[in-house]
Amino acid sequence: MKRFTYTRAETVADAVAALAARPQAQFLAGGTNLVDLMKYDVARPDAIIDINSLPLKEIEELPDGGFRIGALASNSAVAYDARIQARFPLLASAILAGASPQLRNAATTGGNLLQRTRCSYFYDPSTPCNKREPGSGCAAIGGLTRMHAILGASDKCIAVHPSDMCVALAALDATVEVVGPDSARDIAFGDFHRLPGDMPHRDNTLARGEIVTGIRLEANRFAGHYTYLKLRDRLSYAFALVSVAAAMEISDGRIVDLRVALGGVAHKPWRDPLVEGEYAGAPAQDVTFQHVADRLLHEAKGLGGNDFKIPLARKAIVRALRQAAGGTPQSQTIKAIQ
């Protein structure tokens, strides 16, 4: 592991200033991803800025019925918060589908947003990877592609985003709060993560020197009709082959509002609000759900080893929407073997 200096920030302003002073520094929160990357020699910061003392652990109810979740709130704290479970059960369900209890106790909300892909080529410094070293090539293309993207990939990168929590946050239209050297700003969740394009080394739209301080959720009417369906190789501690965060508001058997976000299929949580809007007023029935799946996957493209993901995703979308419509959310006890 490369040698590094260690400092602890006591305020958000201190953290931002410390990062500005050391361009190769990285923030340390739970460390559940960064420490692994440093051990594998993938991340090589010259300085670590410990931000665990920052006052960003609160889960606050907002006047409009929404919530603000501090960037340092642990995944477990969010998932087991009774208010989140009652009003945003989709988020709680997605978090509990991820990792292990020990990791959820350590992992933070902000860190979950910023985690890097689990592409095996990215984790292997002996192979070319445009995310790790821009311009070096992508060993995954033409390699083992079973876990890789079927949507939004480029000829520079076919990696997928690994988060479960972020798929739910995408469906819930969350807002990311960030603070930089000059000002604070809000980023719509759909604009936070990037597709690879020609710059796969950039996972998100944070400017250099900015720090995530929290997530904001607006009140919604999805608590009765939602599900998070995660298909994976084993029941726990496994990343999604395909996951679906589905939520809807229904009146008289017809869809009033529909949200569908996919995980395990793209470089970012995949969602298409324009497609969702096409089904306002449609009956909440399988025939509608099949049309939704077809529309969301119409540009899906396999790479040989991951061709199976396309029919798997189609069936998963229909199943998730059926469960959401029926008010029977997924129990997180299902796995996929391919």
Side-chain angles (χ1 to χ4, degrees):
M1 185 184 291
K2 178 182 175 181
R3 294 177 66 87
F4 58 88
T5 62
Y6 171 90
T7 58
R8 175 171 289 183
E10 300 296 333
T11 67
V12 171
D14 288 344
V16 171
L19 186 61
R22 301 292 293 268
Q24 299 304 313
Q26 291 200 34
F27 292 131
L28 174 70
T32 57
N33 187 206
L34 177 60
V35 173
D36 281 348
L37 292 173
M38 292 172 68
K39 288 179 178 179
Y40 280 97
D41 205 32
V42 175
R44 308 185 81 243
D46 63 8
I48 292 295
I49 304 166
D50 189 330
I51 60 173
N52 284 288
S53 295
L54 304 187
L56 300 175
K57 297 181 180 179
E58 295 299 316
I59 302 173
E60 308 169 80
E61 186 172 358
L62 301 175
D64 65 355
F67 278 84
R68 182 185 183 277
I69 301 170
L72 292 178
S74 73
N75 285 181
S76 290
V78 177
Y80 289 115
D81 186 290
R83 301 166 300 173
I84 297 296
Q85 290 182 339
R87 301 186 199 179
F88 299 92
L90 176 59
L91 176 59
S93 181
I95 293 173
L96 292 174
S100 65
Q102 295 90 337
L103 283 172
R104 291 194 295 267
N105 287 341
T108 63
T109 298
N112 196 302
L113 266 65
L114 299 171
Q115 65 181 302
R116 308 300 304 275
T117 182
R118 263 53 176 197
C119 173
S120 58
Y121 297 101
F122 172 72
Y123 267 77
D124 183 358
S126 70
T127 65
C129 173
N130 288 319
K131 290 185 72 63
R132 196 178 349 96
E133 185 180 350
S136 64
C138 176
I141 297 176
L144 300 175
T145 60
R146 182 174 184 272
M147 298 298 293
H148 289 83
I150 57 173
L151 289 164
S154 74
D155 60 1
K156 299 292 192 298
C157 179
I158 58 174
V160 300
H161 195 272
S163 175
D164 291 291
M165 183 188 81
C166 288
V167 183
L169 290 174
L172 292 169
D173 264 344
T175 299
V176 183
E177 299 177 348
V178 305
V179 173
D182 301 317
S183 62
R185 67 182 178 120
D186 292 342
I187 305 175
F189 201 86
D191 297 329
F192 183 79
H193 296 103
R194 299 181 67 258
L195 292 177
D198 292 329
M199 296 187 295
H201 60 287
R202 290 198 59 193
D203 292 335
N204 55 64
T205 55
L206 282 179
R208 181 61 191 171
E210 289 185 324
I211 182 174
V212 175
T213 56
I215 294 289
R216 209 166 58 245
L217 293 167
E218 295 184 359
N220 63 65
R221 298 182 179 180
F222 301 136
H225 295 283
Y226 74 94
T227 200
Y228 186 73
L229 174 62
K230 181 178 182 179
L231 303 179
R232 46 190 157 170
D233 288 321
R234 56 185 184 272
L235 291 180
S236 65
Y237 203 55
F239 296 104
L241 294 169
V242 173
S243 64
V244 185
M248 62 181 77
E249 182 183 349
I250 299 174
S251 177
D252 296 327
R254 293 188 174 272
I255 297 170
V256 176
D257 194 0
L258 174 67
R259 308 284 179 85
V260 186
L262 307 179
V265 298
H267 196 259
K268 60 181 286 186
W270 188 266
R271 184 179 165 214
D272 190 336
L274 293 178
V275 169
E276 295 167 356
E278 294 173 5
Y279 295 92
Q285 300 173 357
D286 271 17
V287 63
T288 300
F289 306 152
Q290 289 163 1
H291 288 161
V292 172
D294 288 342
R295 291 283 287 115
L296 289 175
L297 297 171
H298 76 283
E299 293 183 351
K301 180 181 179 182
L303 298 159
N306 65 351
D307 289 352
F308 74 95
K309 279 193 175 186
I310 299 175
L312 183 66
R314 182 173 287 108
K315 293 177 181 178
I317 292 168
V318 173
R319 176 174 181 165
L321 289 171
R322 184 187 301 137
Q323 290 178 173
T328 54
Q330 182 66 30
S331 67
Q332 304 307 335
T333 60
I334 190 144
K335 68 175 181 177
I337 299 177
Q338 176 70 32

